[in-house]
Amino acid sequence: MERVGSKAEARKTVADAHAEHKTVALVPTMGALHDGHLALVRAACARAEYVVVSVFVNPTQFAPGEDYETYPRDIDHDMDLLAAEGVDLAFTPSAAHMYAGDAGVTVDPGPLGARWEGEVRPGHFTGVATVVTKLLSIVRPDVAYFGEKDYQQLQVVRRAVADLDLAVTVTPHPVVRDRDGLALSSRNVHLSAEERVAARAVPAALEAVAEALAWGERDARALEWAMTDVLAEEPSLAIDYVAVVDPATLEPLDAVDRAARALVAARIGPTRLIDNCELLPPAAAGEPAPAHRKGSE
Ligand code: AMP
């Protein structure tokens, strides 16, 4: 595996792969890699002949006072993991190299970037949309992989690619979970043993909403209450939002009479947890009810 820190080197190396008519995949990450990231990397390796993984903790997607400084970092271990997966190129730029000191142009994520995570973390999706556009412009992949774990981010990226006519196929990957259901996240390392147990309420809330739907509840507010009830049982957990939304626009729905998405965001101590699952209303009478799909385990 080759590792480069400069944009010019990354461009040149990927251009060589393109010249050999290789399909190029990009998996953007912020490092502290876990099996969730590696699932995206494996999907990329299965699909493309040349796989680039970027490891970059992007300062512009952290609001002042957020955890940019304390975000987990373990670049040597990350490089070992990526090399073992057969990744071709690790792109590991510094923040000073990614952003010129006088950089002033950003990518506006539009209305999708303003709600849910965007409301709790002002400017977050401008940072995400900008860095993803930059990475796509530097690497010029044919396909880029994003996890459904960060569901709103996936939708923002899809919109940016569509609205800015970026020549890349965005491929989503289902949420990868720990054995107890908690979605894998780099930030989970900050959870104490007790907090880790409390965090289990988040996937439990998603299980509860899927169950309520399967029992015939369609009303979106009632479904949100099903989630809130489970989260409220855990006193150490503070809810940022729960929502039942349209899967593309992320607008709140009144009723789940078609595919929808349940979103949860909560804090345990200083650690923020976000999670989500698809909601599929049970099929018409006579057909078996579809199980809710919350991603691969
Ligand atoms: P991050 O390093 O947290 O920015 O994540 C990099 C990519 O990996 C993003 O597209 C995430 O959505 C994805 N990802 C992180 N955790 C998971 C997970 N548990 N399951 C699926 N994808 C994930």
Side-chain angles (χ1 to χ4, degrees):
M1 183 180 76
E2 208 174 333
R3 175 180 170 183
V4 299
S6 104
K7 298 185 242 186
E9 277 178 288
R11 267 187 213 282
K12 161 89 183 66
T13 311
V14 179
D16 292 345
H18 273 306
E20 292 169 30
H21 304 290
K22 290 181 174 167
T23 304
V24 175
L26 171 66
V27 183
T29 81
M30 297 207 301
L33 301 178
H34 51 64
D35 281 341
H37 297 114
L38 296 183
L40 273 65
V41 170
R42 285 174 198 143
C45 289
R47 160 95 182 264
E49 288 137 342
Y50 193 85
V51 175
V52 184
V53 178
S54 58
V55 177
F56 178 60
V57 185
N58 175 37
T60 68
Q61 69 188 69
F62 291 78
E66 286 189 352
D67 60 345
Y68 175 67
E69 303 298 340
T70 57
Y71 192 86
R73 290 166 172 85
D74 194 350
I75 194 70
D76 293 337
H77 186 50
D78 289 348
M79 292 304 105
D80 289 344
L81 290 174
L82 295 179
E85 294 297 334
V87 166
D88 297 283
L89 177 67
F91 178 45
T92 58
S94 69
H97 180 63
M98 269 304 260
Y99 295 101
D102 58 353
V105 175
T106 56
V107 177
D108 181 344
L112 247 184
R115 57 169 69 247
W116 313 123
E117 282 302 284
E119 208 170 318
V120 180
R121 307 183 64 188
H124 172 65
F125 287 117
T126 301
V128 168
T130 303
V131 79
V132 169
T133 306
K134 284 164 72 71
L135 289 167
L136 293 174
S137 163
I138 295 162
V139 176
R140 295 177 183 268
D142 301 291
V143 54
Y145 286 80
F146 291 87
E148 289 183 347
K149 159 75 170 53
D150 301 283
Y151 188 77
Q152 188 173 3
Q153 168 174 281
L154 168 66
Q155 298 313 316
V156 166
V157 169
R158 280 176 157 156
R159 272 250 66 95
V161 165
D163 293 354
L164 302 177
D165 301 304
L166 304 179
V168 64
T169 301
V170 173
T171 303
H173 192 285
V175 182
V176 179
R177 298 175 180 282
D178 230 327
R179 252 171 297 183
D180 64 357
L182 186 66
L184 297 181
S185 164
S186 302
R187 289 188 170 98
N188 289 355
V189 298
H190 292 315
L191 295 170
S192 68
E194 300 80 53
E195 289 172 339
R196 184 68 182 67
V197 173
R200 163 83 190 108
V202 172
L206 296 176
E207 287 154 23
V209 71
E211 199 172 322
L213 186 70
W215 280 103
E217 184 59 74
R218 295 280 179 285
D219 180 75
R221 300 297 84 72
L223 291 165
E224 288 167 2
W225 274 112
M227 291 192 273
T228 308
D229 276 352
V230 173
L231 297 170
E233 278 171 33
E234 189 45 68
S236 62
L237 187 148
I239 301 173
D240 277 341
Y241 57 83
V242 296
V244 172
V245 300
D246 177 275
T249 65
L250 272 51
E251 299 275 347
L253 292 176
D254 291 330
V256 177
D257 40 22
R258 57 192 164 91
R261 207 85 196 180
L263 307 178
V264 180
R267 279 165 287 127
I268 299 185
T271 308
R272 268 192 99 238
L273 302 172
I274 59 170
D275 204 346
N276 69 91
C277 71
E278 186 178 39
L279 296 176
L280 294 173
E287 292 176 37
H292 93 291
R293 298 207 305 258
K294 58 173 190 172
S296 59
E297 299 303 314

